Amino acid sequence: MDLRNPWRLSTFNGLHLGKGYGMITNLRKRCVCPANFEMPKVLMPILERMRESVSVLKDFCPNETNAIDYCKHKGHWLKPHVDDRQISGTILVNLSLCGDCRMTYARERGPCEIYKVLLRRRCIQILTGESRYSFTHSILNDDLLDPRRVSMTFRQSSNP
C-alpha cells in the first residue's frame, strides 16, 4: 500500500478511483510537468518483459502511468475519450491487473463503427495508429464483468 500516493476519487474521465506515477500531464496548460511520484520500481521488470515480447514496444519507454480502480457496485465507469493526441505519445499500453471488462471502441468521425473488446485480467492492450487516434475508448458500468477491475495505462509523454 502506497500511503504517500493514495487512491483518489476521479470524475475527469468518468467515475472511478485513480492515482498517477511519473510525469504529470497538465491538459489545461498543454504541458508535461515533473513527477510527484516516481514510477514504482516493481513495474520495471514488467515493462522490460513487454518490450521484449512485443516488437512494437521495443523502444517504448513510458514516463507516466495512471492506475485506475473500478468498483461495479459504486457505479464506476470510463467515459468515451481519445487520450491527448500530442502530449500522450503514439503508443498507449493498458495492463489489466484484475477483473474482466468489455471496452467499447467507437469511431470518432466518419462512418459509425463500434466494437466491444473483451479485456481479461492479466491481459495487455496496445493502442497505436488508427485505434489510438481515430477511436474513442470507454467502459460502461454494465461492461465491468467482475465486482472490481484494476488497470494501469502507460504513456511516453512529451511536451507538444
Side-chain angles (χ1 to χ4, degrees), residues 5 14-16 19 34 43 54 74 79 93 112-113 140 154:
N5 188 11
L15 179 66
H16 47 263
K19 61 168 72 181
L43 296 176
V54 183
K74 292 183 179 179
K79 83 175 192 176
V93 176
C112 180
E113 289 181 66
L140 301 173
F154 299 93

Side-chain angles (χ1 to χ4, degrees), residues 104-157:
T104 302
Y105 291 90
R107 182 170 291 282
E108 192 172 36
R109 293 182 184 89
C112 180
E113 289 181 66
I114 298 174
Y115 303 96
K116 294 258 186 184
V117 177
L118 177 63
L119 300 178
R120 296 205 179 271
R121 71 180 189 89
R122 300 180 62 186
C123 80
I124 184 175
Q125 165 190 238
I126 301 166
L127 298 179
T128 188
E130 195 169 13
S131 67
R132 160 77 175 96
Y133 294 107
S134 299
F135 286 82
T136 63
H137 56 277
S138 62
I139 302 172
L140 301 173
N141 181 263
D142 285 346
D143 287 337
L144 293 170
L145 304 177
D146 289 303
R148 182 177 185 216
R149 176 178 194 261
V150 178
S151 66
M152 297 190 81
T153 301
F154 299 93
R155 297 175 190 84
Q156 190 170 328
S157 300

